[in-house]
């Protein structure tokens, strides 16, 4: 098959790496890709939101399978456009992608499907939103309805903080994404992610994963795209996956199908395990970054087989084959991320780290120049390793991290610590 991957992060390097290892891959392109995807296939200069350009490229290059990594092309309708051109695309259509693209849409679907989630109000005027906020009090969570690059959720400890967030969001700081706002009950508990391959009403859950969203150790500092992830997370063991998929994934699939839009692709449920049971915080309609990196290191199936089965409505014929080891990935970021950060730092030691057994350095914000690799973004690498236990995976991943040199870098030293505490 001739494959086109869309995106430029660590997730897309992991997808490229896995697809390259499929016996069915003839040719692999990544748009726009990074230094890592350049080593797996060919990078092409097309942005992830250029749906027309991507369709034109896919037609001209006789692409058989398109794999969008990030949410943006999905919410813009890349799957619908590829389908119209007769090209398979692994991801939901534009209607289904609203599950991620609109928080109020997701809330309404969860309500109809009977999925447990935080109580909320949905507002389009500042007066009504303020009113509701002051009736409910703090702590409380304010969410811009639309996509806001991970910055649209404010967990407010005081009413004043919540009011500030409302003013910002509804005052135009988030453009169209802030025309509507969801105000949500604050939930306490531990977060965990459940991702599943989905096709119509069929879901095959992957093992659990846990992301680390805060920039610094001990879950302190600003929220980022994710500073590391591991799988499985002890809070959601393999024995609980089917039960959790019945609570958080399958009811949504039935509701989407009933509304005439069978969901195809990855459905990702962000869960909060509270003392009153699991509650869904959000849905993503794609692999998480960096959750994808450890998850794909554990997946033994041919990824193209699984994706093709999803698109062709044959997912029930597939059994996922998961390696028993734990996997853990540590993100190396540029100093200052998620704020402003420098670019262009030389990265050394990549080959030494990659050559360790059961270790893979997935690249995100990197570019290659000749035989050298330079940083080119906020999250630069995700150093990922397998181990016979979570503790072993953590040890191997940090050994590999210690072999990588980059000036002006930062990484968390406690990826996996929460899981280890739960096992202790
Ligand atoms: P979301 O994009 O909806 O997952 O929100 C981003 C982050 O905000 C989540 O990963 C949580 O850490 C936090 N969050 C979202 N909703 C809530 C909630 N209702 N209660 C507590 N924390 C929340
Ligand atoms: N790591 C969280 C996400 O990809 O949304």
């Amino acid at each position: 098959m001739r494959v086109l991957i869309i995106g430029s992060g660590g997730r897309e390097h992991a997808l490229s790496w896995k697809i390259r290892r499929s016996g069915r891959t003839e040719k692999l392109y990544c748009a726009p890709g990074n230094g890592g995807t350049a080593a797996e296939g060919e990078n092409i200069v097309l942005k992830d939101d250029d749906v027309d350009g991507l369709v034109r490229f896919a037609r001209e290059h006789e692409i058989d399978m398109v794999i969008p990594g990030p949410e943006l092309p999905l919410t813009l309708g890349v799957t619908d456009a590829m389908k119209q051109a007769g090209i398979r695309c692994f991801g939901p259509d534009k209607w289904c992608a609203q599950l991620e693209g609109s928080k109020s849409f997701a809330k309404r679907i969860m309500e109809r499907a009977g999925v447990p989630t935080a109580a909320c109000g949905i507002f389009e005027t500042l007066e009504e939103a303020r009113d509701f906020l002051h009736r409910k009090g703090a702590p409380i969570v304010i969410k811009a309805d639309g996509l806001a690059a991970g910055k649209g959720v404010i967990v407010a400890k005081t009413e004043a903080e919540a009011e500030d967030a409302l003013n910002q969001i509804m005052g135009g700081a988030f453009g169209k994404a802030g025309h509507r706002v969801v105000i949500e009950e604050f939930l306490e508990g531990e977060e965990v992610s459940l991702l599943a391959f989905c096709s119509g009403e069929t879901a095959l859950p992957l093992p659990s994963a846990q992301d680390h969203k805060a920039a610094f150790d001990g879950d302190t500092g600003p929220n980022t795209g994710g500073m590391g992830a591991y799988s499985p997370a002890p809070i959601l063991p393999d024995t609980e996956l089917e039960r959790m998929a019945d609570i958080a994934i399958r009811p949504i699939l039935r509701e989407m199908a009933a509304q005439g839009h069978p969901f195809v692709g990855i459905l990702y449920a962000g869960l909060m395990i509270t003392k009153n049971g699991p509650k869904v915080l959000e849905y993503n309609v794609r692999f998480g970054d960096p959750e994808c990196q450890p998850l794909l290191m554990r997946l033994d199936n041919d990824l193209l087989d699984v994706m093709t089965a999803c698109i062709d409505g044959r997912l029930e014929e597939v059994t996922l084959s998961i390696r028993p080891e734990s996997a853990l990935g540590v993100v190396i970021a540029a100093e200052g991320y998620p704020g402003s950060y420098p670019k262009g730092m030389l990265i050394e030691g990549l080959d030494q780290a990659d050559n360790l057994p059961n270790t893979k350095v997935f690249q995100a914000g990197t570019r290659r120049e000749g035989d050298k690799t330079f940083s080119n973004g906020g999250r630069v690498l995700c150093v990922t390793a397998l181990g016979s236990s979570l503790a072993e995976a953590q040890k191997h991943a940090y050994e590999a991290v210690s072999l990588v040199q980059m000036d002006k870098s930062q990484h968390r030293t406690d990826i996996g610590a929460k899981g280890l505490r739960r096992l202790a």
Side-chain angles (χ1 to χ4, degrees):
M1 287 173 99
R2 299 168 62 80
V3 181
L4 168 62
I5 293 173
I6 304 171
S8 59
R11 165 183 51 208
E12 288 73 26
H13 184 197
L15 287 165
S16 309
W17 168 83
K18 186 75 184 152
I19 292 289
R20 252 288 290 278
R21 276 145 193 82
S22 161
R24 300 171 63 185
T25 305
E26 263 171 64
K27 179 80 194 171
L28 176 60
Y29 297 98
C30 195
N34 58 37
T37 63
E40 308 290 350
E42 191 178 322
N43 285 351
I44 55 170
V45 190
L46 275 176
K47 294 218 301 222
D48 66 354
D49 63 353
D50 181 3
V51 172
D52 291 342
L54 290 162
V55 172
R56 209 173 312 123
F57 178 90
R59 269 215 186 100
E60 280 166 9
H61 293 78
E62 298 176 352
I63 298 296
D64 303 297
M65 170 72 92
V66 177
I67 307 171
E71 60 280 14
L72 185 59
L74 293 167
T75 58
L76 293 174
V78 73
T79 300
D80 313 63
M82 291 293 174
K83 201 168 173 182
Q84 231 169 36
I87 301 164
R88 282 197 179 94
C89 185
F90 179 75
D93 65 17
K94 186 174 178 173
W95 193 86
C96 290
Q98 292 178 89
L99 270 179
E100 178 163 1
S102 163
K103 305 251 182 215
S104 57
F105 177 93
K107 282 300 222 188
R108 291 197 182 104
I109 294 279
M110 280 190 256
E111 202 168 287
R112 289 181 66 104
V115 169
T117 183
C120 79
I122 298 169
F123 304 98
E124 288 179 10
T125 70
L126 194 53
E127 292 88 321
E128 285 175 293
R130 268 204 201 116
D131 233 38
F132 182 82
L133 159 66
H134 294 304
R135 274 204 315 270
K136 295 291 172 188
I140 197 154
V141 184
I142 312 288
K143 301 184 174 186
D145 188 54
L147 291 182
K151 298 191 175 75
V153 176
I154 294 98
V155 179
K157 290 189 195 69
T158 63
E159 282 184 46
E161 210 183 314
E163 179 136 6
D164 263 5
L166 278 181
N167 287 335
Q168 279 232 348
I169 291 174
M170 301 195 94
F174 292 86
K176 247 179 77 185
H179 285 179
R180 195 177 296 141
V181 72
V182 176
I183 305 185
E184 211 174 79
E185 163 198 15
F186 172 77
L187 297 174
E188 254 174 305
E190 188 172 333
E191 282 182 62
V192 65
S193 306
L194 176 65
L195 287 78
F197 285 98
C198 297
S199 174
E201 298 190 18
T202 306
L204 290 189
L206 281 157
S208 66
Q210 193 169 52
D211 187 12
H212 297 63
K213 287 201 170 107
F216 308 132
D217 284 3
D219 289 337
T220 57
N223 241 14
T224 72
M227 294 300 289
Y230 65 95
S231 169
I235 189 158
L236 181 51
D238 291 355
T239 49
E240 292 284 309
L241 289 178
E242 284 298 324
R243 188 180 75 88
M244 201 61 85
D246 282 340
I247 294 173
I249 303 279
R250 294 188 181 107
I252 298 291
L253 296 185
R254 286 195 289 274
E255 181 61 31
M256 302 304 263
Q259 297 213 24
H261 290 275
F263 186 101
V264 171
I266 294 286
L267 185 58
Y268 167 140
L271 300 163
M272 182 76 90
I273 309 299
T274 74
K275 62 179 191 310
N276 300 319
K279 310 243 175 172
V280 174
L281 292 177
E282 62 159 349
Y283 286 106
N284 296 323
V285 296
R286 47 158 180 92
F287 278 108
D289 186 344
E291 296 89 321
C292 181
Q293 290 84 316
L295 285 173
L296 287 188
M297 276 191 84
R298 295 189 63 206
L299 182 71
D300 258 344
N301 298 69
D302 185 316
L303 188 55
L304 278 180
D305 282 346
V306 184
M307 289 179 166
T308 308
C310 286
I311 296 170
D312 295 351
R314 295 184 289 98
L315 186 59
E316 61 282 352
E317 295 169 17
V318 174
T319 308
L320 293 185
S321 167
I322 306 291
R323 295 177 67 129
E325 294 99 325
S326 286
L328 184 141
V330 179
V331 169
I332 299 184
E335 219 169 69
Y337 171 79
S340 59
Y341 51 80
K343 286 185 186 176
M345 287 86 82
L346 177 67
I347 308 168
E348 291 179 292
L350 287 172
D351 289 342
Q352 289 90 318
D354 250 342
N355 286 337
L356 293 175
N358 291 320
T359 305
K360 180 69 202 167
V361 180
F362 294 113
Q363 300 187 22
T366 67
R367 68 186 161 79
R368 274 235 287 220
E369 237 179 74
D371 60 355
K372 290 196 165 67
T373 303
F374 297 90
S375 78
N376 193 35
R379 291 192 289 176
V380 179
L381 305 170
C382 181
V383 181
T384 311
L386 290 168
S388 57
S389 62
L390 177 55
E392 284 292 302
Q394 186 193 52
K395 190 173 127 216
H396 295 317
Y398 278 107
E399 273 165 14
V401 166
S402 73
L403 297 178
V404 176
Q405 291 107 41
M406 180 177 102
D407 273 353
K408 299 184 195 136
S409 76
Q410 65 183 41
H411 66 265
R412 282 183 59 159
T413 64
D414 65 347
I415 302 303
K418 214 181 281 171
L420 288 174
R421 274 200 299 277
R422 194 165 280 277
L423 291 172

